[in-house]
Amino acid sequence: MADTKFDSDSLPNEVVSTAASELSNLSPTQFENALTQALPLPDIMFGGAVLVFVIMFHAFWIRIITGSFLKRSTALRSHGSLWRADLLFTLTVMMLLALHLAEVVVWSAALIFGDIIGEWSTAAYFAANCYTALGEPFSLPRAWRMVPPIIGMSGIFTFAWTASVLVNFVARYNDLRAHVLAGPPRSQDEHTVRP
């Protein structure tokens, strides 16, 4: 197979001059726009920074909620009742719900202060839809098109984390209820029959 070599002399002069003039007319802003479209760094950096903040916020409050649940469930083992165990579990679930609502507010604030959405109610509606992975209720400007998927990723991460913690809470709650239903342990003297 013969090697073929590109020879610019074989091209018509007008093609070469047209290509050369088009290349010289490219400005740096056109190149930057093409790069920004291919790799939208501003919205990825903005969304990534808020995502990291939301995950750290979630970690902080999950630690507090878990510590509170463990401390109170241990106290209920010694002198608890079923209604107190039920109340503890209900309040824990309510705290987890409040945590996720607070994270929607964090995303709403980011959208407002990032000057992406102008109204709090619209920002909250948008953030809640994306955070729960329902989808975008409306489209953001093209420059911010990567933010909704990042909001969705943060919701998936935090919901998965909450679900894993909740599995542990349910197991401990069931153990606590079983312990309360069994009543206090009887001493050895109560089982001994005296003549």
Side-chain angles (χ1 to χ4, degrees), residues 6 8-22:
F6 178 73
S8 62
D9 295 334
S10 65
L11 292 173
N13 285 339
E14 60 189 47
V15 172
V16 173
S17 64
T18 304
S21 68
E22 286 181 8

Side-chain angles (χ1 to χ4, degrees), residues 1 34-36 40-41 45 69 71 74 77 84-85 96 99 109 121 126 133 138 143 147 149 177 179 194:
M1 189 171 178
L35 184 62
T36 302
L41 283 179
M45 290 177 63
F69 179 82
K71 180 178 150 186
T74 303
R77 285 183 87 70
R84 285 185 178 176
L96 292 172
L99 174 58
S121 61
F126 183 87
F138 54 88
V147 170
R177 284 184 54 88
H179 180 78
R194 296 185 184 193

Side-chain angles (χ1 to χ4, degrees), residues 46 50 54 101-129 131 151:
F46 172 81
V50 178
V54 166
L101 292 175
E103 289 163 1
V104 169
V105 170
V106 168
W107 274 110
S108 302
L111 294 171
I112 291 290
F113 294 121
D115 205 25
I116 299 170
I117 297 177
E119 296 177 14
W120 278 96
S121 61
T122 306
Y125 179 67
F126 183 87
N129 274 275
Y131 183 79
I151 296 172

Side-chain angles (χ1 to χ4, degrees), residues 113-167:
F113 294 121
D115 205 25
I116 299 170
I117 297 177
E119 296 177 14
W120 278 96
S121 61
T122 306
Y125 179 67
F126 183 87
N129 274 275
C130 292
Y131 183 79
T132 56
L134 291 176
E136 294 179 66
F138 54 88
S139 293
L140 291 181
R142 183 166 174 79
W144 299 106
R145 70 185 181 273
M146 289 302 294
V147 170
I150 293 172
I151 296 172
M153 283 183 248
S154 75
I156 291 168
F157 292 158
T158 57
F159 281 125
W161 192 344
T162 299
S164 69
V165 168
L166 195 55
V167 167

Side-chain angles (χ1 to χ4, degrees), residues 45-67:
M45 290 177 63
F46 172 81
V50 178
L51 180 138
V52 168
F53 178 79
V54 166
I55 297 296
M56 298 308 294
F57 182 82
H58 192 81
F60 175 79
W61 285 105
I62 282 289
R63 182 175 296 143
I64 288 175
I65 293 168
T66 302

